[in-house]
């Protein structure tokens, strides 16, 4: 889990995804919780599979994550 309150998600998440690719671990799904909805498109283009903003119901997030994981198989 990566956590940053200083907008580090725009720097760190793309770097993490790139390192996973270098290691041949594209099977690892990267999911983010982000405060700023203006960054969503940037993060999706960088390879983040799902993004959850403040107030996202846990059940909704869990269902979406399960759908993503099931599609990966």
């Amino acid at each position: 889990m990566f956590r940053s309150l200083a907008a580090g998600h725009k720097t760190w998440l793309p770097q993490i995804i790139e390192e996973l690719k270098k290691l041949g671990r594209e099977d690892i799904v990267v999911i983010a919780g982000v405060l700023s909805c203006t960054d969503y498109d940037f993060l999706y283009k960088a390879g983040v599979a799902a993004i959850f903003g403040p107030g996202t119901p846990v059940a909704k997030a869990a269902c979406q994550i399960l759908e993503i994981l099931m599609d990966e198989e």
Side-chain angles (χ1 to χ4, degrees):
M1 173 199 259
F2 170 76
R3 184 178 222 179
S4 171
L5 297 176
H9 56 276
K10 288 183 75 174
T11 301
W12 289 102
L13 288 173
Q15 289 178 2
I16 290 168
I17 292 167
E18 186 58 35
E19 289 301 317
L20 288 170
K21 287 179 185 177
K22 288 179 187 176
L23 294 171
R25 294 306 312 262
E26 294 171 280
D27 59 314
I28 296 176
V29 178
V30 177
I31 297 170
V34 179
L35 295 178
S36 174
C37 62
T38 60
D39 298 335
Y40 285 21
D41 285 337
F42 172 85
L43 294 172
Y44 281 126
K45 288 177 184 172
V48 173
I51 302 170
F52 300 103
T56 301
V58 173
K60 179 181 177 182
C63 288
Q64 189 173 344
I65 291 168
L66 286 172
E67 287 175 12
I68 291 167
L69 295 174
M70 290 171 54
D71 286 342
E72 291 289 317
E73 293 181 18

